[in-house]
Each structure stands twice: as C-alpha cells, then as structure tokens.
Amino acid sequence: MVDELGEERRNVDGLLDRLDDEVERVEGLLGRGDGIPRGTVETLLDEAKRTFDRAEDEGRRRHRTFQDMARAASADRRVDAREMAALQGEFDEGTAALRELLGEAEALLASLQGLRGKLEDLPEKLRPVRGRIHAALDAARRDLEALRRGGASGFRHEAELTRLTERLTALEQGGYHPTPERGATRHFADLEAEVAALRDAMAAPGH
C-alpha cells in the first residue's frame, strides 16, 4: 500500500516537472514583438498553473498519510482494524485524487505541447504581412508629408495613421484574440487593408 501510494506520487511529481518546464517554454514565446497572441495562451497557462498548485497542495495533504503508513510499515507494528480501515480509506482517497490530477496534468501537457508547436511556427507565417504593413505605414507617413507640403492640414489622416501604428504595435505584442473564424493572419490582414484604405484616402482628389 505504501509503495503504491509512493509510486503514484512519483508519477505525479515527474509529470508536474514536465508540465512546469512546458509552461516556461510557452511563456518564453510571449512578448517578443513577433505577433504571438497573449490572451488565449495566458488562459491556458493559468489553467496549467492552477492544476500545478492543486497537485502540490494535494501532495502536501497526502504526505502525512504517507508518512503514517510508512512508519507503521517500518516499525512492523500491529495496527488495529479501525486504524487500518481509516488508513485504507485515506489511501484510497489519496490515490484516486492523485490519479485524477495525473490525468488533468497529462491533458494539459499535451495541449501545451501542441500549442507550443503552433506558436513556434506562427512568427514565420506572420512575417510577410507584418513586413508589408510596416512598409505601408512608412509610405503613408511620406504621403502625409507630401500632403502637408501641398498645403493640406492632414490632421484627420495623421490621427488615423497614429491609430493604425498603435494597432500594429498591439498586434505584434500579442494584444488580440484569434478565433477559428478569424485567425492570427486575418487580424494582420485586416490591418493591412485599413492602412491601404488610408493611403487611398490621402491620394483621393481634393487633398
């Protein structure tokens, strides 16, 4: 009984070590300015951390039972039926709880590993559209300067250019939530279209 509970704890501890390593790897991908979305990722990371904390708490709660059973076994003392039933009940509850946590941790680890693979590929997929947006914004700034040299105030266009520039920064820092209907590349493509619309407006007659 003691060996079985100890084995369950070692399985959970080993899996939690792997889960903790995976959380650190995924966290290391965020905030680099290459367009990886933070919100969805941080939600999954929070779930992983909550599972990790629950497992640690459960492990501490079960540690006393484990020690009691180990002491009884090592002392080779006789345990009365009532005490044995109580220990057996705590043992069964402890192993069930640890196995449940093991299942949750395994599912989260698989999710994080799959997510990390997609996130590692995402910056390269976004690189072309990000490059086009940066180039288009630079061109829009030159368009605005040309308008002003021609005597136009350009205040409305300047405000829109500032908004679009700030939006690009937010997207690159991961400040958006992709969905199956509107993925990461669509967020950037929509911004690219808005920058093009601004340039068209500045090029229209009357400016």
Side-chain angles (χ1 to χ4, degrees):
M1 202 162 54
V2 172
D3 291 341
E4 186 178 347
L5 182 57
E7 183 64 25
E8 291 293 340
R9 287 198 59 195
R10 284 189 290 274
N11 289 339
V12 171
D13 288 344
L15 185 58
L16 288 181
D17 286 342
R18 292 169 59 201
L19 182 60
D20 193 37
D21 289 343
E22 194 63 34
V23 166
E24 288 186 7
R25 289 181 181 181
V26 174
E27 284 181 328
L29 297 174
L30 301 179
R32 302 186 307 185
D34 52 11
I36 290 179
R38 299 186 65 94
T40 305
V41 177
E42 288 175 341
T43 297
L44 185 57
L45 290 177
D46 287 344
E47 183 181 354
K49 290 173 183 177
R50 284 194 298 270
T51 298
F52 188 90
D53 290 342
R54 283 179 51 227
E56 285 195 321
D57 291 343
E58 188 66 33
R60 283 193 292 268
R61 288 203 314 120
R62 300 302 167 194
H63 188 63
R64 180 178 57 82
T65 302
F66 179 81
Q67 286 184 319
D68 289 346
M69 296 172 71
R71 278 196 295 267
S74 62
D76 195 25
R77 65 178 178 83
R78 298 184 63 182
V79 180
D80 63 40
R82 187 168 52 186
E83 186 179 359
M84 189 63 198
L87 286 173
Q88 182 68 54
E90 290 191 37
F91 167 78
D92 292 341
E93 181 185 351
T95 52
L98 288 173
R99 285 169 182 164
E100 180 181 353
L101 285 168
L102 188 65
E104 291 181 24
E106 285 175 337
L108 274 171
L109 179 61
S111 295
L112 284 172
Q113 288 172 333
L115 176 64
R116 178 167 57 85
K118 293 177 181 178
L119 294 180
E120 287 173 340
D121 293 339
L122 184 58
E124 194 60 35
K125 291 180 180 179
L126 294 176
R127 191 184 307 279
V129 67
R130 287 177 54 222
R132 293 195 302 269
I133 295 171
H134 278 284
L137 287 171
D138 287 342
R141 293 183 189 99
R142 293 192 295 271
D143 293 343
L144 182 58
E145 291 172 1
L147 277 178
R148 286 178 168 164
R149 285 195 301 270
S153 65
F155 292 132
R156 179 169 57 85
H157 295 316
E158 181 180 16
E160 179 67 358
L161 179 57
T162 298
R163 183 186 72 82
L164 295 175
T165 301
E166 290 174 350
R167 180 60 182 151
L168 175 59
T169 300
L171 287 176
E172 291 185 323
Q173 291 300 322
Y176 65 101
H177 295 271
T179 64
E181 297 76 24
R182 190 168 180 243
T185 53
R186 173 51 55 189
H187 281 265
F188 282 87
D190 289 346
L191 177 58
E192 184 179 22
E194 290 186 63
V195 177
L198 173 61
R199 295 197 66 201
D200 287 343
M202 286 192 285
H207 289 284

Coordinates of all heavy atoms in Angstrom, one line a residue, residues 33-98:
G33 N 7.3 40.6 -29.6 CA 7.0 41.5 -30.6 C 6.9 40.9 -32.0 O 7.0 41.6 -33.0
D34 N 6.6 39.6 -32.1 CA 6.5 38.9 -33.4 C 5.1 38.5 -33.7 O 4.9 37.7 -34.6 CB 7.5 37.8 -33.5 CG 7.4 36.8 -32.3 OD1 6.4 36.9 -31.5 OD2 8.3 35.9 -32.1
G35 N 4.1 38.9 -32.9 CA 2.7 38.7 -33.2 C 2.1 37.5 -32.6 O 0.9 37.2 -32.9
I36 N 2.8 36.8 -31.7 CA 2.1 35.7 -31.0 C 1.1 36.2 -30.0 O 1.4 37.0 -29.2 CB 3.2 34.8 -30.2 CG1 4.1 34.1 -31.2 CG2 2.5 33.8 -29.3 CD1 5.2 33.2 -30.6
P37 N -0.2 35.7 -30.1 CA -1.2 36.3 -29.3 C -1.1 35.8 -27.8 O -0.8 34.7 -27.5 CB -2.5 35.7 -29.9 CG -2.0 34.4 -30.6 CD -0.6 34.7 -31.0
R38 N -1.3 36.8 -26.9 CA -1.1 36.5 -25.5 C -2.3 36.0 -24.8 O -2.2 35.0 -24.0 CB -0.7 37.8 -24.8 CG 0.6 38.5 -25.2 CD 1.0 39.6 -24.4 NE 1.3 39.2 -23.0 CZ 2.5 39.0 -22.6 NH1 3.5 39.1 -23.4 NH2 2.7 38.6 -21.4
G39 N -3.5 36.5 -25.1 CA -4.7 36.2 -24.3 C -5.0 34.8 -24.2 O -5.2 34.2 -23.1
T40 N -5.2 34.1 -25.4 CA -5.6 32.7 -25.4 C -4.5 31.9 -24.7 O -4.8 30.9 -24.0 CB -5.8 32.2 -26.8 OG1 -6.7 33.1 -27.5 CG2 -6.3 30.8 -26.9
V41 N -3.2 32.2 -25.0 CA -2.1 31.4 -24.4 C -2.1 31.6 -22.9 O -1.9 30.6 -22.2 CB -0.8 31.9 -25.0 CG1 0.4 31.2 -24.4 CG2 -0.8 31.7 -26.6
E42 N -2.3 32.8 -22.4 CA -2.2 33.0 -21.0 C -3.3 32.4 -20.3 O -3.2 31.9 -19.1 CB -2.2 34.5 -20.7 CG -0.9 35.2 -21.1 CD -0.9 36.7 -21.0 OE1 -2.0 37.3 -20.9 OE2 0.2 37.3 -20.9
T43 N -4.5 32.2 -20.9 CA -5.6 31.5 -20.3 C -5.2 30.0 -20.0 O -5.5 29.5 -19.0 CB -6.9 31.6 -21.2 OG1 -7.3 32.9 -21.3 CG2 -8.0 30.8 -20.6
L44 N -4.6 29.4 -21.0 CA -4.2 28.0 -20.9 C -3.0 27.9 -19.9 O -3.0 27.0 -19.1 CB -3.7 27.5 -22.2 CG -3.4 26.0 -22.3 CD1 -4.5 25.1 -21.8 CD2 -3.0 25.6 -23.7
L45 N -2.1 28.9 -19.9 CA -1.1 28.9 -18.9 C -1.6 29.0 -17.5 O -1.1 28.3 -16.6 CB -0.1 30.0 -19.2 CG 0.8 29.8 -20.4 CD1 1.7 31.1 -20.6 CD2 1.7 28.6 -20.4
D46 N -2.6 29.8 -17.3 CA -3.2 30.0 -16.0 C -3.9 28.7 -15.5 O -3.8 28.3 -14.3 CB -4.3 31.1 -16.0 CG -3.6 32.5 -16.1 OD1 -2.4 32.6 -15.8 OD2 -4.4 33.4 -16.4
E47 N -4.5 28.0 -16.5 CA -5.1 26.7 -16.1 C -4.0 25.7 -15.7 O -4.2 24.9 -14.7 CB -5.9 26.2 -17.3 CG -6.6 24.9 -17.0 CD -7.4 24.4 -18.2 OE1 -7.5 25.1 -19.3 OE2 -7.9 23.2 -18.2
A48 N -2.9 25.7 -16.4 CA -1.8 24.8 -16.1 C -1.3 25.1 -14.7 O -1.0 24.2 -13.9 CB -0.7 24.9 -17.2
K49 N -1.1 26.4 -14.4 CA -0.6 26.8 -13.1 C -1.5 26.4 -12.0 O -1.1 26.0 -10.9 CB -0.3 28.3 -13.1 CG 0.9 28.6 -14.0 CD 1.1 30.1 -14.1 CE 2.2 30.5 -15.0 NZ 2.4 32.0 -15.2
R50 N -2.8 26.5 -12.2 CA -3.8 26.2 -11.2 C -3.8 24.7 -10.9 O -3.8 24.2 -9.8 CB -5.2 26.6 -11.6 CG -5.5 28.1 -11.5 CD -7.0 28.3 -11.6 NE -7.5 28.0 -12.9 CZ -7.6 28.8 -13.9 NH1 -7.1 30.0 -13.8 NH2 -8.1 28.3 -15.0
T51 N -3.6 23.9 -12.0 CA -3.5 22.4 -11.8 C -2.2 22.1 -11.1 O -2.2 21.2 -10.2 CB -3.5 21.7 -13.2 OG1 -4.8 22.0 -13.9 CG2 -3.3 20.2 -13.1
F52 N -1.2 22.8 -11.4 CA 0.1 22.5 -10.7 C 0.0 22.8 -9.2 O 0.4 22.0 -8.4 CB 1.2 23.4 -11.4 CG 2.6 23.2 -10.9 CD1 3.4 22.3 -11.5 CD2 3.1 23.8 -9.7 CE1 4.7 22.0 -11.0 CE2 4.3 23.6 -9.3 CZ 5.1 22.6 -9.9
D53 N -0.7 24.0 -8.9 CA -0.8 24.3 -7.5 C -1.7 23.4 -6.8 O -1.4 23.0 -5.6 CB -1.4 25.8 -7.4 CG -0.4 26.8 -7.8 OD1 0.8 26.5 -7.9 OD2 -0.9 28.0 -8.1
R54 N -2.8 22.9 -7.4 CA -3.7 21.9 -6.8 C -2.9 20.6 -6.5 O -3.1 20.0 -5.5 CB -4.9 21.7 -7.7 CG -6.0 22.7 -7.7 CD -7.1 22.4 -8.6 NE -7.6 21.1 -8.4 CZ -7.8 20.2 -9.3 NH1 -7.6 20.5 -10.6 NH2 -8.3 19.0 -9.0
A55 N -2.1 20.2 -7.5 CA -1.4 19.0 -7.3 C -0.4 19.1 -6.1 O -0.2 18.2 -5.3 CB -0.6 18.6 -8.6
E56 N 0.3 20.3 -6.0 CA 1.2 20.4 -4.9 C 0.5 20.4 -3.6 O 0.9 19.8 -2.6 CB 2.0 21.8 -5.1 CG 3.0 21.7 -6.1 CD 4.0 22.9 -6.0 OE1 3.5 24.0 -5.8 OE2 5.2 22.7 -6.2
D57 N -0.7 21.1 -3.5 CA -1.5 21.1 -2.3 C -1.9 19.7 -1.9 O -1.9 19.3 -0.8 CB -2.7 22.0 -2.4 CG -2.3 23.5 -2.5 OD1 -1.2 23.8 -2.1 OD2 -3.2 24.3 -3.0
E58 N -2.4 19.0 -2.9 CA -2.8 17.6 -2.7 C -1.7 16.7 -2.2 O -1.9 15.9 -1.3 CB -3.4 17.0 -4.0 CG -4.1 15.7 -3.8 CD -5.4 15.7 -3.0 OE1 -6.1 16.8 -3.0 OE2 -5.6 14.8 -2.2
G59 N -0.5 16.9 -2.8 CA 0.6 16.2 -2.4 C 1.0 16.4 -0.9 O 1.3 15.5 -0.2
R60 N 0.9 17.7 -0.5 CA 1.2 18.0 0.9 C 0.1 17.4 1.8 O 0.5 16.9 2.9 CB 1.2 19.5 1.1 CG 2.5 20.2 0.6 CD 2.7 21.6 1.1 NE 1.7 22.5 0.5 CZ 1.9 23.2 -0.6 NH1 3.0 23.1 -1.3 NH2 0.9 24.0 -1.1
R61 N -1.1 17.5 1.4 CA -2.2 16.9 2.3 C -2.0 15.4 2.4 O -2.3 14.8 3.5 CB -3.6 17.2 1.6 CG -4.0 18.6 1.7 CD -5.5 18.8 1.7 NE -6.1 18.1 0.6 CZ -7.1 17.1 0.8 NH1 -7.4 16.8 2.0 NH2 -7.6 16.5 -0.2
R62 N -1.5 14.7 1.4 CA -1.4 13.3 1.4 C -0.1 12.8 2.1 O 0.1 11.7 2.4 CB -1.5 12.7 0.0 CG -2.8 13.0 -0.7 CD -4.0 12.5 0.0 NE -5.2 13.0 -0.5 CZ -6.3 12.9 0.1 NH1 -6.4 12.4 1.3 NH2 -7.4 13.4 -0.4
H63 N 0.8 13.8 2.3 CA 2.1 13.5 2.8 C 2.0 12.9 4.2 O 2.8 11.9 4.5 CB 3.0 14.7 2.8 CG 4.5 14.4 3.1 ND1 5.3 13.6 2.4 CD2 5.2 14.8 4.2 CE1 6.5 13.5 2.9 NE2 6.5 14.2 4.0
R64 N 1.2 13.4 5.0 CA 1.0 13.0 6.4 C 0.6 11.5 6.4 O 1.1 10.7 7.1 CB 0.0 13.8 7.1 CG -0.2 13.4 8.6 CD -1.1 14.3 9.3 NE -2.4 14.3 8.7 CZ -3.4 13.4 8.8 NH1 -3.2 12.4 9.6 NH2 -4.5 13.5 8.2
T65 N -0.4 11.2 5.6 CA -0.9 9.8 5.5 C 0.2 8.9 5.0 O 0.4 7.8 5.6 CB -2.1 9.7 4.5 OG1 -3.1 10.6 5.0 CG2 -2.7 8.3 4.4
F66 N 0.9 9.3 4.0 CA 2.0 8.5 3.5 C 3.1 8.2 4.6 O 3.5 7.1 4.8 CB 2.7 9.3 2.4 CG 3.8 8.5 1.7 CD1 3.6 7.5 0.8 CD2 5.1 8.9 2.1 CE1 4.7 6.9 0.2 CE2 6.2 8.2 1.5 CZ 6.0 7.2 0.6
Q67 N 3.4 9.3 5.4 CA 4.4 9.1 6.5 C 3.8 8.2 7.6 O 4.6 7.3 8.1 CB 4.7 10.5 7.1 CG 5.6 11.3 6.2 CD 6.0 12.6 6.9 OE1 5.1 13.2 7.6 NE2 7.2 13.0 6.8
D68 N 2.6 8.3 7.9 CA 2.0 7.4 8.9 C 2.0 6.0 8.5 O 2.4 5.1 9.3 CB 0.5 7.8 9.2 CG 0.4 9.1 9.9 OD1 1.4 9.6 10.5 OD2 -0.7 9.7 9.9
M69 N 1.7 5.7 7.2 CA 1.7 4.4 6.7 C 3.1 3.8 6.7 O 3.4 2.7 7.0 CB 1.0 4.3 5.4 CG -0.5 4.7 5.4 SD -1.2 4.9 3.8 CE -1.2 3.2 3.2
A70 N 4.1 4.7 6.3 CA 5.5 4.3 6.2 C 6.0 3.9 7.5 O 6.7 3.0 7.7 CB 6.3 5.4 5.5
R71 N 5.7 4.8 8.5 CA 6.2 4.5 9.9 C 5.6 3.2 10.4 O 6.3 2.4 11.1 CB 5.8 5.7 10.8 CG 6.7 6.8 10.7 CD 6.5 7.8 11.9 NE 5.2 8.4 11.9 CZ 4.9 9.6 11.3 NH1 5.9 10.2 10.7 NH2 3.7 10.1 11.3
A72 N 4.3 3.0 10.2 CA 3.7 1.7 10.6 C 4.4 0.5 10.0 O 4.6 -0.5 10.6 CB 2.2 1.7 10.3
A73 N 4.6 0.7 8.7 CA 5.3 -0.5 8.0 C 6.7 -0.7 8.4 O 7.1 -1.8 8.7 CB 5.2 -0.2 6.5
S74 N 7.5 0.4 8.6 CA 8.9 0.2 9.0 C 9.0 -0.3 10.4 O 9.9 -1.0 10.8 CB 9.6 1.5 8.9 OG 9.0 2.5 9.8
A75 N 8.0 0.1 11.3 CA 8.1 -0.4 12.7 C 7.6 -1.8 12.8 O 7.7 -2.4 13.9 CB 7.3 0.6 13.6
D76 N 6.9 -2.3 11.7 CA 6.3 -3.6 11.7 C 5.5 -3.8 13.0 O 5.5 -4.9 13.6 CB 7.5 -4.7 11.7 CG 6.9 -6.1 11.3 OD1 5.8 -6.1 10.7 OD2 7.5 -7.1 11.7
R77 N 4.7 -2.8 13.3 CA 3.8 -2.9 14.5 C 2.4 -3.3 14.0 O 2.1 -3.2 12.9 CB 3.7 -1.6 15.2 CG 3.1 -0.4 14.4 CD 3.0 0.8 15.2 NE 2.4 1.9 14.5 CZ 1.1 2.2 14.3 NH1 0.2 1.3 14.9 NH2 0.7 3.2 13.7
R78 N 1.7 -3.8 15.0 CA 0.4 -4.3 14.7 C -0.6 -3.1 14.6 O -0.5 -2.2 15.5 CB -0.1 -5.3 15.7 CG 0.7 -6.5 15.8 CD 0.2 -7.6 16.7 NE -1.1 -8.0 16.3 CZ -1.9 -8.9 17.0 NH1 -1.4 -9.4 18.1 NH2 -3.1 -9.2 16.5
V79 N -1.4 -3.0 13.7 CA -2.3 -1.9 13.5 C -3.7 -2.5 13.7 O -4.1 -3.5 13.1 CB -2.2 -1.2 12.1 CG1 -3.2 -0.1 12.0 CG2 -0.8 -0.8 11.9
D80 N -4.5 -1.9 14.6 CA -5.8 -2.4 14.9 C -6.7 -2.2 13.7 O -6.5 -1.4 12.8 CB -6.5 -1.9 16.2 CG -6.7 -0.4 16.1 OD1 -7.1 0.1 15.0 OD2 -6.5 0.3 17.1
A81 N -7.8 -2.9 13.6 CA -8.7 -2.9 12.5 C -9.3 -1.5 12.2 O -9.4 -1.1 11.0 CB -9.9 -3.9 12.7
R82 N -9.6 -0.8 13.2 CA -10.2 0.5 13.0 C -9.2 1.5 12.4 O -9.5 2.2 11.5 CB -10.7 1.1 14.3 CG -11.5 2.4 14.2 CD -12.3 2.7 15.4 NE -11.4 2.7 16.6 CZ -11.8 2.8 17.9 NH1 -13.1 3.0 18.1 NH2 -11.0 2.8 18.9
E83 N -8.0 1.4 12.9 CA -6.9 2.3 12.4 C -6.6 1.9 11.0 O -6.3 2.7 10.1 CB -5.7 2.2 13.3 CG -4.6 3.2 12.9 CD -3.4 3.1 13.8 OE1 -3.4 2.3 14.8 OE2 -2.4 3.9 13.5
M84 N -6.5 0.6 10.8 CA -6.2 0.1 9.4 C -7.3 0.5 8.4 O -7.0 0.9 7.3 CB -6.1 -1.4 9.4 CG -5.6 -2.0 8.1 SD -3.9 -1.4 7.8 CE -3.8 -1.8 6.1
A85 N -8.5 0.5 8.8 CA -9.6 0.9 7.9 C -9.5 2.4 7.6 O -9.8 2.8 6.4 CB -11.0 0.6 8.5
A86 N -9.1 3.2 8.6 CA -9.0 4.6 8.4 C -7.9 4.9 7.4 O -8.0 5.7 6.5 CB -8.8 5.3 9.7
L87 N -6.7 4.2 7.6 CA -5.6 4.4 6.8 C -5.9 3.9 5.3 O -5.5 4.6 4.4 CB -4.4 3.6 7.3 CG -3.7 4.2 8.5 CD1 -2.6 3.2 9.0 CD2 -3.0 5.5 8.2
Q88 N -6.6 2.8 5.3 CA -7.0 2.3 3.9 C -7.9 3.3 3.2 O -7.8 3.6 2.0 CB -7.7 1.0 4.0 CG -8.1 0.4 2.7 CD -6.9 -0.1 1.9 OE1 -6.1 -0.8 2.4 NE2 -6.8 0.4 0.7
G89 N -8.9 3.9 4.0 CA -9.7 4.9 3.4 C -9.0 6.1 2.9 O -9.2 6.6 1.8
E90 N -8.0 6.6 3.7 CA -7.2 7.7 3.3 C -6.3 7.4 2.1 O -6.1 8.2 1.2 CB -6.4 8.2 4.4 CG -7.2 8.9 5.5 CD -6.3 9.6 6.5 OE1 -5.3 10.2 6.1 OE2 -6.6 9.6 7.7
F91 N -5.9 6.1 2.1 CA -5.0 5.7 1.0 C -5.8 5.7 -0.3 O -5.4 6.2 -1.4 CB -4.5 4.3 1.3 CG -3.9 3.6 0.1 CD1 -2.6 3.9 -0.4 CD2 -4.6 2.6 -0.6 CE1 -2.1 3.3 -1.5 CE2 -4.1 2.0 -1.7 CZ -2.8 2.3 -2.2
D92 N -7.0 5.1 -0.3 CA -7.9 5.0 -1.5 C -8.2 6.4 -2.0 O -8.2 6.7 -3.2 CB -9.2 4.2 -1.2 CG -8.9 2.8 -0.9 OD1 -7.8 2.3 -1.3 OD2 -9.7 2.1 -0.3
E93 N -8.6 7.3 -1.0 CA -8.9 8.7 -1.4 C -7.7 9.4 -2.0 O -7.8 10.1 -3.0 CB -9.4 9.4 -0.2 CG -9.8 10.9 -0.5 CD -10.2 11.6 0.7 OE1 -10.3 11.0 1.8 OE2 -10.4 12.9 0.7
G94 N -6.5 9.2 -1.4 CA -5.3 9.8 -1.9 C -4.9 9.4 -3.3 O -4.6 10.2 -4.1
T95 N -4.9 8.0 -3.5 CA -4.5 7.5 -4.8 C -5.5 8.0 -5.9 O -5.1 8.3 -7.0 CB -4.4 6.0 -4.8 OG1 -5.7 5.4 -4.3 CG2 -3.3 5.6 -4.0
A96 N -6.8 8.0 -5.6 CA -7.8 8.5 -6.5 C -7.6 9.9 -6.9 O -7.7 10.3 -8.1 CB -9.2 8.3 -6.0
A97 N -7.3 10.7 -5.9 CA -7.1 12.2 -6.1 C -5.9 12.4 -7.0 O -5.8 13.2 -7.9 CB -7.0 12.9 -4.8
L98 N -4.8 11.6 -6.7 CA -3.6 11.8 -7.4 C -3.7 11.3 -8.8 O -3.2 11.9 -9.8 CB -2.4 11.0 -6.7 CG -1.9 11.6 -5.4 CD1 -1.0 10.7 -4.7 CD2 -1.3 13.0 -5.6

